[in-house]
Amino acid sequence: MESVEYPDWIIYYSLNALQLMMKSSFQAIHWAGSSLQLLDQRRLPHDEIYLDFTEASAVAGAIRDMVVRGAPAIGITAAYAVVLAARQHTTSALADWRTPLLKDIQQLSEARPTAVNLVWALKRMQRCLSRVSDDPVVTLLDEAKQIHQEDIEANRQMGEWGANLIAKGDSVLTYCNAGSLATGGYGTALGVVRSAWAAHKLVRVFAGETRPWLQGARLTAWELLRDEIPVTLITDNAAAFLMQKQQVQWVITGADRVAANGDVVNKIGTYPLALACRYHGVKMMVAAPLSTLDMEMPAGSEVIIEQRPEAEVLEQAGRRIAARGASAWNPAFDVTPAALVDYLVTEAGVIAAPDTAKLAAFHPGLPSA
Ligand code: MRU
């Protein structure tokens, strides 16, 4: 049979199309030119609805109300919100646009207290602001896009480092959602899962449903299935039994903040997973970009843990499920001591058994907040 010669450009464009098809076909955070569009994560997996924002104060509300969530994602969102604030205050006839802009930045920084990426991104935007004297919008937009792009690149790199640790035939349990939805794209923990899956290493991916917001059942399952990665859900309280049955070799999570001593602050329920891992000889991997490392925070015990409304525990889909009169304690995050973490994976490399000395030695490579 005669072979057909294709011109280079056809091959080039076909490869690009293939790469595009392989990418998740959604973007949780989208800069639309003059507004910010956020995929409303409260409505997933049933409805894919984008909300349009033109004001920073509305974006602060969206972060607080979980329209967008996940540490890197809320940092990126807040960076774009600073651009919205700059547009708003420079187009109004105000001579002093800096004062209301700084007020908006302050409001954004208070939207959620635990994820360090939020203040990290806002400090970066503020540093950028201090370098401009006239119209700041273009410069701020460039910076926000840069933060977004860097996060995707960091995730891809972490995916590779993390997947290298996984042996062929392993199975993993992930928790909450540390995927494309929680980041600029690709994900931290789910970035590792994606890369390990692509390398044909993983047998099974389990996800904990993650009470009370069900990020595992609603979001992780949704985005893995979109990438055609099969996922098996477990109730949160089935995790230790899954380990006892030797069904997983790894627990892989993201982080909202990693303290200077290596303690990991992440979704409530991460700590009991790490405890069970140690007992059962399952490895605990935490994948987090450098922007999640907080070298000014000596230990996880000093991090402010967000307390969320009781109703999130007492009700489901707006309907009360708890006995009338019961109250609820609803911390959104817990602290996993560094001693329970086997690997901390960042875009700059992997730290095995992280501790204060190892993080400090690693520190010179860290971009300061
Ligand atoms: O309350 P959430 O959904 O914002 O909590 C998210 C998590 O705990 C994630 O694991 C963490 O932010 C890392 S996301 C890459």
Side-chain angles (χ1 to χ4, degrees):
M1 203 169 74
E2 212 179 296
S3 74
V4 186
E5 288 280 325
Y6 292 106
D8 279 348
W9 65 268
I10 287 194
I11 296 167
Y12 176 76
Y13 283 107
S14 308
L15 274 175
N16 273 357
L18 193 67
Q19 273 168 348
L20 271 177
M21 273 160 50
M22 282 165 67
K23 270 183 163 175
S24 304
S25 50
F26 66 91
Q27 228 186 326
I29 306 164
H30 175 62
W31 179 255
S34 54
S35 66
L36 176 65
Q37 294 177 341
L38 298 174
L39 179 57
D40 189 348
Q41 299 192 27
R42 301 167 305 182
R43 306 285 299 267
L44 289 172
H46 304 299
D47 305 308
E48 289 175 39
I49 292 172
Y50 281 84
L51 303 179
D52 204 64
F53 295 88
T54 51
E55 289 186 10
S57 57
V59 178
I63 293 172
R64 196 187 45 244
D65 297 342
M66 309 281 282
V67 170
V68 58
R69 29 66 50 202
I74 63 179
I76 295 161
T77 300
Y80 284 121
V82 174
V83 183
L84 293 178
R87 283 172 63 100
Q88 191 186 351
H89 301 309
T90 51
T91 47
S92 63
L94 268 182
D96 175 23
W97 47 262
R98 271 181 205 269
T99 307
L101 179 51
L102 292 175
K103 222 171 124 196
D104 279 346
I105 291 177
Q106 181 61 31
Q107 189 193 21
L108 284 163
S109 74
E110 290 164 4
R112 291 190 78 187
T114 306
V116 72
N117 304 63
L118 179 61
V119 281
W120 174 87
L122 289 171
K123 279 185 189 171
R124 229 176 110 163
M125 295 302 280
Q126 235 172 310
R127 266 206 306 274
C128 181
L129 190 62
S130 65
R131 293 196 297 267
V132 288
S133 50
D134 48 0
D135 189 349
V137 176
V138 174
T139 316
L140 289 173
L141 181 57
D142 283 349
E143 188 72 356
K145 285 182 173 170
Q146 181 72 16
I147 290 172
H148 194 166
Q149 187 55 32
E150 282 173 17
D151 187 65
I152 299 170
E153 283 160 21
N155 291 338
R156 294 233 165 230
Q157 184 60 69
M158 277 186 276
E160 212 172 294
W161 298 135
N164 285 344
L165 296 168
I166 293 171
K168 197 172 168 61
D170 282 354
S171 291
V172 306
L173 167 64
T174 186
Y175 189 58
C176 191
N177 172 266
S180 293
L181 289 166
T183 63
Y186 203 66
T188 56
L190 289 193
V192 174
V193 168
R194 283 189 164 95
S195 296
W197 184 263
H200 305 290
K201 285 185 165 180
L202 294 179
V203 174
R204 268 184 108 170
V205 180
F206 292 90
E209 59 177 355
T210 320
R211 279 275 293 152
W213 272 87
L214 302 174
Q215 288 94 330
R218 295 188 305 107
L219 309 179
T220 293
W222 180 78
E223 73 163 88
L224 286 179
L225 291 170
R226 274 189 91 119
D227 274 6
E228 295 182 3
I229 300 175
V231 57
T232 304
L233 282 171
I234 60 164
T235 59
D236 299 333
N237 29 18
F241 192 46
L242 185 80
M243 294 182 204
Q244 195 181 50
K245 291 283 182 192
Q246 299 179 348
Q247 295 291 302
V248 284
Q249 288 67 45
W250 292 92
V251 165
I252 309 179
T253 71
D256 277 78
R257 195 184 291 241
V258 178
N261 68 348
D263 287 352
V264 170
V265 182
N266 192 50
K267 179 52 56 198
I268 188 79
T270 303
Y271 174 40
L273 286 177
L275 285 168
C277 275
R278 188 53 53 95
Y279 186 82
H280 291 290
V282 171
K283 297 242 171 354
M284 176 81 190
M285 185 195 302
V286 175
L290 297 177
S291 54
T292 303
L293 270 55
D294 184 358
M295 298 305 287
E296 283 161 23
M297 186 60 68
S301 55
E302 295 186 35
V303 175
I304 296 172
I305 301 293
E306 176 184 6
Q307 291 288 331
R308 299 214 37 110
E310 289 184 47
E312 292 178 356
V313 175
L314 300 173
E315 298 171 3
Q316 235 173 27
R319 239 187 108 202
R320 185 158 182 114
I321 50 164
R324 294 246 160 248
S327 61
W329 181 59
N330 187 18
F333 304 98
D334 60 22
V335 181
T336 298
L340 294 178
V341 177
D342 294 294
Y343 297 100
L344 175 61
V345 177
T346 76
E347 69 271 36
V350 177
I351 308 179
D355 60 18
T356 308
K358 287 183 189 170
L359 261 89
F362 201 70
H363 184 233
L366 291 181
S368 60

